[in-house]
Amino acid sequence: MAEATNTADFWFDPICPFAWATSRWIEEVQQVRDITVTWHVMSLSVLNENKDDLPENYREMLQRGWGPVRVVTAAGEQHGQDAVKRLYDALGTQLHVNKVEDYTEAIRLALDDAGLPADLADYATQEVYDEQLRASHEDGIDRVGQDVGTPVVAFNGTAFFGPVITRIPRGEEAGVLWDATVTLAGFPGFFELKRSRTEDPQAS
């Protein structure tokens, strides 16, 4: 099975703790299954920009959330796909593991950790690459519909919102979850499995 089911396209917003947990699972899968992963940006700020019924604190977070995803987009445009993953890893570590709440500071630290130019931080408040950001976002959302969040993952071309996980499987446990997810994705009539979440995602 692992040899026949070996690709994932992963759409993430760097501020999302659920996307972060799922991305760490995918990294574990890469250690035990032969898979190729391509990383793409999406944006909770874009996804929710026309919604009027959001709590004020969430709206404020979304406004600040433009910064990290814009910087990751700029890094990808200027330095290639590898820079997208390196900066996502570094940003996620600052935001979700180290709990840096100031996005400007998290970006500064992450660029340094990722070995990328510090002046990429300037794009946090610029719309220079918003067209590319929105195009990447829409590419992911068009595969699953608007009533989702992050992450969006396409398994061998079949995309879902999620899987949403709160604990990161390690080793072969990660591979078993991958196998199960790919099996579900391979059934054309399968669309949704859901239950109420009772815990927050763990960052590591």
Side-chain angles (χ1 to χ4, degrees):
M1 178 181 296
E3 292 181 0
T5 56
N6 60 356
T7 66
D9 283 90
F10 195 109
W11 282 264
F12 65 90
D13 186 321
I15 71 171
C16 178
F18 296 100
W20 176 251
T22 304
S23 74
R24 299 310 92 181
W25 162 60
I26 288 289
E27 284 203 327
E28 288 287 320
V29 174
Q30 288 181 290
Q31 304 305 310
V32 294
R33 298 290 186 272
D34 183 15
I35 69 171
T36 299
V37 186
T38 305
W39 302 86
H40 313 266
V41 293
M42 64 180 295
S43 171
L44 291 170
S45 301
V46 173
L47 185 67
N48 292 284
E49 64 183 342
N50 294 318
K51 296 180 180 178
D52 298 323
D53 57 345
L54 300 173
E56 187 59 34
N57 62 333
Y58 190 67
R59 190 184 304 279
E60 186 273 336
M61 183 200 70
L62 294 175
Q63 185 60 41
R64 294 189 300 118
W66 283 99
V69 73
R70 278 175 168 163
V71 174
V72 174
T73 303
E77 291 296 315
Q78 295 186 17
H79 300 278
Q81 168 67 205
D82 177 66
V84 170
K85 180 58 165 54
R86 289 195 349 253
L87 186 51
Y88 178 39
D89 289 345
L91 259 176
T93 298
Q94 295 300 332
L95 294 171
H96 307 300
V97 179
N98 297 341
K99 306 296 184 184
V100 177
E101 296 183 0
D102 184 332
Y103 289 178
T104 300
E105 178 67 2
I107 289 168
R108 183 188 69 80
L109 293 168
L111 287 170
D112 184 61
D113 290 345
L116 291 165
D119 60 7
L120 281 171
D122 296 342
Y123 291 95
T125 56
Q126 298 178 15
E127 300 179 5
V128 176
Y129 295 114
D130 278 11
E131 182 178 352
Q132 292 89 331
L133 165 58
R134 289 177 181 273
S136 179
H137 174 89
E138 292 302 327
D139 184 26
I141 287 296
D142 284 350
R143 300 167 188 245
V144 292
Q146 292 290 328
D147 190 25
V148 300
T150 63
V152 170
V153 186
F155 301 91
N156 300 312
T158 300
F160 296 97
F161 163 45
V164 174
I165 59 174
T166 58
R167 305 175 196 177
I168 303 165
R170 305 294 182 184
E172 183 58 22
E173 185 182 22
V176 170
L177 180 57
W178 166 266
D179 296 340
T181 305
V182 167
T183 297
L184 291 173
F187 179 64
F190 175 77
F191 287 91
E192 185 175 1
L193 240 172
K194 190 172 183 179
R195 63 174 173 164
S196 297
R197 180 173 53 84
T198 58
E199 60 185 26
D200 292 329
Q202 299 176 6
S204 59

